[in-house]
Amino acid sequence: AGINISGTNGEVMPGQWESQVGPSVGIEGGDHIWCARYLLERITEQAGVVLSLDPKPIEGDWNGAGCHTNYSTLSMRGEGGFEVIKKAILNLSLRHKEHISAYGEGNERRLTGKHETASIDQFSWGVANRGCSIRVGRDTEKEGKGYLEDRRPASNMDPIVVTGLLAETTILWEPTLEAEALAAQKISLKV
């Protein structure tokens, strides 16, 4: 169908499968996710299988279902990109509640601070830390450029909304210097 799926794997929750869509440019990844969801709905309907995009469809002591979103801009991938990534993380910390409110229904059941998630109420970031809101890979830190992974979106998020918020917050939005300084201190980020 021309959908850019770069990988699939089984996950922790019983019956949970995951696919990775991308890499994509701009909101193109959102189009691919919507098409993939549609095809998945039709295939499971025909097979008599129940499909759920709920972030925690089965309560239990295991991971929920997220839609971790890898994100970068040209400047993040260029020389000195890690500084651009840190500035983006700072901006994301200042708009955490706004992002959470748009990152999928039922996400509070998944973002508990357990099972490789951050708490829904507190923004955090880290290198190679699966329990943070925003994770930066070791290669990105080592090379000084690359991408960030927003681990907050739920499996039922709208990919167009998430992509739009990420771009708005990291490219267009400028916080006050005072808010930026306080946030940098709060999340231990030197920019």
Side-chain angles (χ1 to χ4, degrees):
I3 297 170
N4 188 11
I5 295 179
S6 55
T8 60
N9 57 279
E11 275 295 333
V12 176
M13 189 170 41
Q16 180 185 7
W17 281 86
E18 171 183 300
S19 61
Q20 294 86 38
V21 174
S24 304
V25 177
I27 62 170
E28 178 186 49
D31 295 337
H32 286 265
I33 289 173
W34 279 117
C35 289
R37 286 176 175 174
Y38 170 75
L39 290 174
L40 188 58
E41 281 279 352
R42 292 293 294 137
I43 291 166
T44 55
E45 181 181 282
Q46 291 170 357
V49 175
V50 175
L51 168 69
S52 174
L53 296 177
D54 189 275
K56 194 84 174 202
I58 304 170
E59 293 301 319
D61 190 23
W62 46 63
N63 300 28
C67 192
H68 302 162
T69 305
N70 293 344
Y71 173 79
S72 69
T73 62
L74 185 60
S75 58
M76 290 178 185
R77 296 186 305 273
E79 291 306 313
F82 194 42
E83 293 305 311
V84 178
I85 291 169
K86 290 193 290 188
K87 171 71 168 98
I89 291 169
L90 189 61
N91 282 12
L92 290 166
S93 76
L94 289 166
R95 296 185 82 194
H96 177 66
K97 287 182 181 176
E98 185 175 348
H99 281 251
I100 288 294
S101 70
Y103 274 13
E105 286 186 44
N107 210 9
E108 70 282 352
R109 291 180 280 118
R110 181 181 75 90
L111 294 178
T112 61
K114 299 176 184 175
H115 307 108
E116 299 180 327
T117 68
S119 168
I120 197 167
D121 299 316
Q122 187 175 352
F123 182 88
S124 58
W125 83 281
V127 174
N129 184 338
R130 299 174 68 84
C132 283
S133 306
I134 304 293
R135 178 171 77 160
V136 174
R138 288 197 195 284
D139 287 346
T140 295
E141 180 187 45
K142 181 180 172 187
E143 295 173 20
K145 59 185 175 183
Y147 66 94
L148 61 84
E149 176 189 18
D150 192 341
R151 298 178 60 81
R152 301 171 295 172
S155 52
N156 60 5
M157 59 71 135
D158 181 333
I160 306 296
V161 170
V162 169
T163 303
L165 270 172
L166 283 168
E168 179 186 336
T169 299
T170 63
I171 299 170
L172 303 174
W173 186 71
E174 281 295 327
T176 65
L177 291 176
E178 181 181 51
E180 198 173 72
L182 288 171
Q185 186 178 29
K186 183 178 179 181
I187 64 171
S188 303
L189 187 64
K190 292 182 177 133
V191 284

